Amino acid sequence: MYGVCGCCGALRPRYKRLVDNIFPEDHEDGLVKANMEKLTFYALSAPEKLDRIGAYLSERLSRDVARHRYGHVCIAMEALDQLLMACHCQSINLFVESFLKMVAKLLESEKPNLQILGTNSFVKFANIEEDTPSYHRSYDFFVSRFSEMCHSSHDDIEIKTKIRMAGIKGLQGVVRKTVNDELQANIWDPQHMDKIVPSLLYNLQHVEETESRSPSPLQTTEKEKENPAELAERCLRELLGRAAYGNIKNAIKPVLMHLDNHSLWEPNIFAVRCFKIIMYSIQPQHSHLVIQQLLGHLDANSKSAATVRAGIVEVLSEAAVIAATGSVGPTVLEVFNTLLRQLRLSIDYELTGSYDSAINIGTKIIKEHEERKFQEAVIKTIGSFASTLPTYQRSEVMLFIMSKVPIPSLHHPPDALKSGDNRNRLIQIMLLKSLLQVSMVFQCSNMLTALPSSFLDPLLSPVLMDDDEIRLFVLEILICLMDRHENRHKFSSISTVPDIAVFNLKVDKCSRPDTLFMKKHSQQLYRHIYLSCGDPGNMQAHYTALYGLLVMISVELATEEVVVDLIRLVLAVQELALNNEDNLPGYNRCSLHALCAAYLNLISQLTTVPAFCQHIHEVIEMRKKNAPYLLPEDVFNEKPRWSKNVDYLDTELLFLQSKISEVLGGSGYNSDRLSTPYVPQLTDEDRLSKRKSIGETISLQVEVESRNSPEKEERAPAEEITFETLKNAIVDSVAVEEQERERRRQVVEKFQKAPFEEIAAHCGARATLLQSKLNQIFELTIRPPPSPSGTITAAYGQPQSHSIPVYEMKFPDLCVY
């Protein structure tokens, strides 16, 4: 009976008859719209029949596919699309299951047209917001199939392009359908991301690079919309834009794996483009997660080729610039620690010529070149990161980098650095280069913050080292840190300009914190500048840097006292070149005279004292006539002209301290201080002089306290006086007198030549020590008698004896007669 009903159209169920009626006799006529309206009305009136309608349509579509009746297949899919758009009842889930089966059937077909037809239907379905959730629907097949379509290699280029675009649209539909539905399978799982992201990158990769490409999404023309690369980029942006905090890692890891598998780190044009897209697409607060992923990938590739590591670091640099608008994250020092660690590893690879510490001479030259490129990329990246940080974090970064520099100090004594000198030197150079990159982007109005003692002391230590390159880096770092008005580029060359107005200098009044900084560190800076001037290994770049540093102090930190000290310092440098106690070559001596001329020419115009300017101008003019080799225009040239005979110079060729003291003293400057020659305080190890004095002071205080401690009652045994003791005392008395006489001479010389600040500090320390001694003596000698009423508590909780007159004392009854 059932078979009979199936053969007779009038006896079939109504929904089947309505479905059959939408198909025309000739498929070219298309969907019968009137009958389709009836079917839609019936589905809306009887929602419980919707699942049967879907099942029947699926059955017919499968039969038509098998019979190659593709016209009817298109009609069936059009009907399904209209039913999906019209019906949003609670029973639509079963209908959707039938719909997805039909889409899967089309996608499994080998016909490109059917694949594209199924994809288009799925995209329409993905844009529908369902009223009821689905707990059991799976899209694993669609992710796999659409990813496979993205990698289509059809012989026909036009068909291949259409299939790939259909695959990209399908992946986009899957993402839209599942990304915000917690009940669906998590699209961010690695099993899905490992298929979606590489498929998009594969299509993004196969596009001709344009010279100027904006990383932000722009309006595209219709022709560009037909491009799989443009479509893949939009899809990738949408995917990353929907990524939550916990999903960034799963989305970035496939990108890194794709770049590894296809060797796209060298050249890294495509890698940079990918991460620009990523950084501009994700939420700004998630930027540091991408940075951490790149850092971790760099660590994972520590033993990869230098070109690969350089590509990763360059991508990291580009990402850091974009991350400036967001957040680099709380682990700033971790970022720099990773980069510095890679820098040290690269130096080891360069020295050994192998990644496993085994010497391989055959490839060492190539690897040296590659490692140098990688090191430069790391240094550039450090600068990029530093430019994204606030000022206080840049200060921390500079301290952190400085702590990694192996320089002679209490923690790194000179003997400890002798082993592995070449490695230590390379590390010093690379870290100082990194520090220079950070200092170039450092802007701070307070020099006490920019150059604290914990940073300035170790930074100045390499100035006295024998390595010319290291000393030059330190001078350039100091110039960058002091330059707060972009003046340093105006003094990239040394010259005696008649009018410094051409420089258009930006000069502000020295602030109170800067004045305190100079009072605290000026003598230290002057000493290192003076000693650096006397180094025989100085080249033109060193004198240019020394000149720039003197100018920066004059422009940024100048007070009347600082100007006087700088003039004294430069005149001492002139005496250094004249006396030549260090046996400097002729070029160095001429360079020092030229340096003094250039600086005094500038400072005289800054002070605007006419007599001072006239004296400097007269000396310069005299040098132009009789000794041009003492001027920077001749010495600091591509072909320097200098003279070996500079032992005896006429007075008219020199800047006279007496004349300068006279003319500046008449304008209100401290003439007594100007007339006192500058003499730096030198020790055996000048780098550690300050720390040694601190250590000795602490040990002396501890010794004094231990000797005066009331708890220490043990006394040293008295020395036995014998004939030999008396004899030695008489013999040694002459030597003791000589030592005392020499000590007195040094004290007198110190008070005659030392700067006022050092004398005041020395006397202040002695006065403090004397006062503490007097207080101890007073406590021991003028102690009040014990009081029968006990003690009282003084300020700060310390017991204090309280003396009571005899007539106020209360005696016990036994004492009363």
Side-chain angles (χ1 to χ4, degrees):
M1 186 65 184
Y2 181 77
V4 173
C5 294
C7 296
C8 183
L11 299 178
R12 283 182 300 167
R14 185 181 178 185
Y15 73 89
K16 287 188 177 183
R17 283 184 279 123
L18 292 174
V19 170
D20 292 336
N21 291 337
I22 65 174
F23 292 93
E25 294 182 1
D26 187 0
H27 65 86
E28 293 183 357
D29 295 338
L31 182 68
V32 181
K33 295 183 179 180
N35 294 335
M36 186 62 212
E37 293 177 358
K38 295 179 181 178
L39 178 62
T40 304
F41 179 77
Y42 176 77
L44 292 173
S45 302
E48 67 277 2
K49 300 292 185 180
L50 189 60
D51 58 330
R52 298 184 183 182
I53 295 174
Y56 184 60
L57 275 171
S58 177
E59 179 184 345
R60 285 205 55 154
L61 184 137
S62 300
R63 185 169 63 245
D64 292 335
V65 169
R67 295 176 179 177
H68 304 288
R69 300 173 62 183
Y70 301 125
H72 288 80
V73 171
C74 296
I75 294 173
M77 291 307 301
E78 184 180 355
L80 284 170
D81 293 341
Q82 292 189 19
L83 288 174
L84 274 175
M85 299 296 294
C87 302
H88 295 281
C89 58
Q90 294 182 354
S91 59
I92 196 174
N93 280 330
L94 295 177
F95 177 76
V96 169
E97 293 299 327
S98 301
F99 169 78
L100 293 178
K101 287 180 181 179
M102 287 182 277
V103 172
K105 187 73 174 178
L106 295 179
L107 294 177
E108 289 175 347
S109 173
E110 296 180 356
K111 298 291 183 179
N113 292 336
L114 295 184
Q115 296 175 14
I116 296 172
L117 177 63
T119 302
N120 294 335
S121 296
F122 182 84
V123 171
K124 293 178 182 178
F125 161 71
N127 293 326
I128 297 175
E129 295 184 4
E130 300 182 49
D131 296 335
T132 57
S134 175
Y135 298 91
H136 57 280
R137 196 179 300 163
S138 174
Y139 296 96
D140 294 354
F141 167 78
F142 296 99
V143 172
S144 300
R145 183 55 184 157
F146 289 139
S147 299
E148 184 180 350
M149 292 170 63
C150 290
H151 292 82
S152 174
S153 58
H154 200 278
D155 296 335
D156 191 335
I157 297 178
E158 184 177 356
I159 295 177
K160 179 177 68 175
T161 301
K162 291 182 178 180
I163 295 176
R164 287 188 179 183
M165 292 188 64
I168 297 171
K169 291 178 181 179
L171 291 177
Q172 191 176 28
V174 173
V175 171
R176 290 178 178 176
K177 196 65 178 176
T178 59
V179 72
N180 293 324
D181 191 351
E182 296 179 357
L183 299 176
Q184 303 293 343
N186 191 358
I187 199 65
W188 301 106
D189 287 343
Q191 58 180 348
H192 299 308
M193 285 290 106
D194 291 345
K195 298 175 182 177
I196 295 175
V197 174
S199 300
L200 298 177
L201 294 178
Y202 178 77
N203 287 274
L204 189 63
Q205 179 182 351
H206 292 79
V207 62
E208 294 182 359
E209 297 290 338
T210 55
E211 293 183 359
S212 58
R213 189 180 191 84
S214 174
S216 59
L218 302 174
Q219 296 294 331
T220 57
T221 62
E222 292 297 328
K223 184 177 181 180
E224 289 175 334
K225 289 182 180 180
E226 297 299 322
N227 189 345
E230 295 291 334
L231 185 60
E233 181 176 339
R234 291 200 299 272
C235 183
L236 183 61
R237 290 183 183 278
E238 183 178 350
L239 175 68
L240 295 170
R242 295 172 179 264
Y245 184 87
N247 301 326
I248 293 293
K249 180 179 179 180
N250 292 339
I252 301 302
K253 187 176 180 180
V255 178
L256 299 173
M257 296 303 297
H258 180 82
L259 297 175
D260 286 342
N261 296 334
H262 295 270
S263 302
L264 296 174
W265 294 112
E266 181 202 7
N268 62 349
I269 298 175
F270 179 72
V272 170
R273 182 188 171 198
C274 284
F275 275 90
K276 282 186 175 182
I277 293 174
I278 292 172
M279 297 302 292
Y280 280 110
S281 300
I282 62 175
Q283 300 179 27
Q285 61 270 25
H286 298 163
S287 299
H288 68 281
L289 295 177
V290 180
I291 302 296
Q292 288 178 351
Q293 287 290 305
L294 282 169
L295 288 172
H297 197 66
L298 180 61
D299 279 337
N301 286 271
S302 295
K303 293 188 178 182
S304 299
T307 52
V308 173
R309 286 178 283 126
I312 298 174
V313 170
E314 289 174 4
V315 171
L316 192 60
S317 176
E318 296 289 341
V321 174
I322 301 174
T325 56
S327 171
V328 179
T331 56
V332 175
L333 294 183
E334 179 185 351
V335 172
F336 287 92
N337 192 32
T338 301
L339 293 174
L340 295 180
R341 183 172 62 251
Q342 292 295 327
L343 203 57
R344 285 176 176 266
L345 286 174
S346 177
I347 292 173
D348 291 336
Y349 296 156
E350 179 183 350
L351 293 176
T352 60
S354 176
Y355 298 128
D356 55 359
S357 300
I359 299 177
N360 188 357
I361 301 177
T363 59
K364 185 174 182 180
I365 297 178
I366 298 176
K367 288 185 177 179
E368 281 184 356
H369 174 71
E370 294 175 351
E371 292 299 335
R372 289 295 174 90
K373 180 181 177 182
F374 169 73
Q375 292 161 13
E376 294 298 329
V378 172
I379 293 171
K380 177 186 175 183
T381 303
I382 288 176
S384 299
F385 266 110
S387 64
T388 67
L389 301 176
T391 301
Y392 74 94
Q393 284 190 334
R394 293 179 195 172
S395 300
E396 293 178 358
V397 168
M398 289 195 298
L399 283 171
F400 180 75
I401 296 176
M402 197 67 227
S403 66
K404 301 290 185 180
V405 180
I407 57 176
S409 64
L410 291 178
H411 302 289
H412 301 280
D415 295 337
L417 297 179
K418 290 182 180 179
S419 58
D421 285 338
N422 193 21
R423 179 178 184 273
N424 288 324
R425 179 183 178 276
L426 288 176
I427 291 176
Q428 289 170 351
I429 290 175
M430 291 304 164
L431 292 181
L432 288 175
K433 277 186 177 181
S434 304
L435 194 59
L436 179 60
Q437 288 290 323
V438 180
S439 62
M440 290 176 67
V441 297
F442 185 82
Q443 291 291 334
C444 183
S445 58
N446 188 348
M447 290 307 299
L448 284 172
T449 304
L451 291 171
S453 298
S454 58
F455 177 74
L456 184 61
D457 292 346
L459 178 63
L460 288 175
S461 295
V463 174
L464 306 181
M465 295 178 66
D466 296 333
D467 195 294
D468 302 335
E469 189 175 2
I470 291 177
R471 288 189 287 108
L472 183 59
F473 279 127
V474 175
L475 293 174
E476 290 177 349
I477 290 170
L478 288 171
I479 292 172
C480 290
L481 293 176
M482 290 184 182
D483 182 23
R484 292 169 292 184
H485 296 88
E486 298 298 329
N487 289 320
R488 65 178 181 272
H489 302 293
K490 303 170 185 177
F491 300 98
S492 57
S493 61
I494 309 178
S495 62
T496 54
V497 180
D499 187 5
I500 62 171
V502 297
F503 292 132
N504 192 20
L505 296 176
K506 299 177 182 178
V507 183
D508 289 339
K509 185 179 179 181
C510 186
S511 62
R512 178 174 175 80
D514 291 346
T515 304
L516 295 176
F517 170 80
M518 290 304 294
K519 287 184 177 180
K520 185 177 181 181
H521 298 292
S522 59
Q523 297 303 321
Q524 187 181 12
L525 288 171
Y526 301 154
R527 182 171 65 252
H528 283 80
I529 292 174
Y530 179 84
L531 296 176
S532 183
C533 287
D535 195 295
N538 286 340
M539 303 299 291
Q540 179 176 344
H542 295 85
Y543 294 113
T544 303
L546 288 168
Y547 174 70
L549 182 57
L550 288 170
V551 172
M552 284 303 110
I553 297 176
S554 305
V555 174
E556 297 287 348
L557 306 169
T559 60
E560 182 178 328
E561 184 178 349
V562 171
V563 170
V564 170
D565 285 340
L566 288 173
I567 294 174
R568 291 175 59 231
L569 172 62
V570 173
L571 292 176
V573 172
Q574 179 181 255
E575 290 296 322
L576 176 67
L578 282 174
N579 299 333
N580 197 24
E581 296 178 356
D582 297 331
N583 295 323
L584 295 175
Y587 170 78
N588 297 78
R589 298 176 69 183
C590 292
S591 297
L592 290 179
H593 283 293
L595 171 65
C596 296
Y599 177 73
L600 290 175
N601 174 67
L602 179 116
I603 197 67
S604 64
Q605 297 185 52
L606 287 176
T607 55
T608 63
V609 177
F612 184 27
C613 295
Q614 181 180 358
H615 172 65
I616 302 300
H617 180 71
E618 289 175 354
V619 176
I620 291 176
E621 290 298 324
M622 190 61 63
R623 288 187 179 185
K624 287 181 179 179
K625 294 179 181 178
N626 302 327
Y629 51 84
L630 299 180
L631 292 176
E633 285 77 11
D634 277 31
V635 180
F636 304 122
N637 203 343
E638 294 182 0
K639 296 181 179 180
R641 295 184 292 272
W642 50 277
S643 175
K644 295 182 179 179
N645 188 16
V646 288
D647 293 328
Y648 303 101
L649 296 176
D650 294 337
T651 306
E652 58 188 8
L653 297 177
L654 299 176
F655 302 100
L656 302 179
Q657 187 160 3
S658 58
K659 180 68 174 178
I660 294 175
S661 176
E662 178 185 350
V663 296
L664 288 181
S667 300
Y669 287 87
N670 189 343
S671 58
D672 294 336
R673 190 175 181 84
L674 278 168
S675 60
T676 304
Y678 173 78
V679 178
Q681 294 292 322
L682 302 179
T683 59
D684 294 336
E685 288 180 319
D686 190 75
R687 293 185 295 271
L688 306 179
S689 59
K690 184 176 179 181
R691 298 181 182 179
K692 276 193 171 183
S693 63
I694 293 175
E696 291 172 359
T697 303
I698 294 173
S699 63
L700 178 62
Q701 292 176 355
V702 172
E703 183 179 357
V704 170
E705 291 177 0
S706 62
R707 288 182 178 179
N708 296 329
S709 175
E711 298 177 359
K712 186 173 182 180
E713 299 178 356
E714 297 181 3
R715 297 182 179 179
E719 184 179 359
E720 183 180 1
I721 300 176
T722 62
F723 174 79
E724 292 294 329
T725 306
L726 294 174
K727 181 180 178 181
N728 293 333
I730 294 172
V731 172
D732 294 339
S733 61
V734 178
V736 171
E737 289 178 2
E738 290 291 332
Q739 293 178 0
E740 182 66 16
R741 191 178 299 108
E742 179 65 16
R743 188 185 67 82
R744 290 181 180 178
R745 188 189 65 79
Q746 292 178 357
V747 171
V748 172
E749 183 180 0
K750 178 179 180 180
F751 275 85
Q752 287 178 346
K753 297 182 178 181
F756 176 78
E757 290 81 7
E758 294 187 9
I759 298 174
H762 179 70
C763 295
R766 294 189 62 182
T768 304
L769 182 61
L770 177 61
Q771 185 63 40
S772 64
K773 289 284 189 180
L774 289 175
N775 292 337
Q776 294 175 3
I777 294 172
F778 290 154
E779 287 183 5
L780 294 175
T781 58
I782 315 178
R783 182 172 296 174
S787 173
S789 60
T791 60
I792 62 174
T793 302
Y796 306 104
Q798 297 179 354
Q800 181 183 11
S801 300
H802 180 66
S803 180
I804 300 177
V806 177
Y807 58 84
E808 290 184 4
M809 292 184 181
K810 295 182 179 180
F811 295 92
D813 296 338
L814 294 176
C815 295
V816 179
Y817 296 98

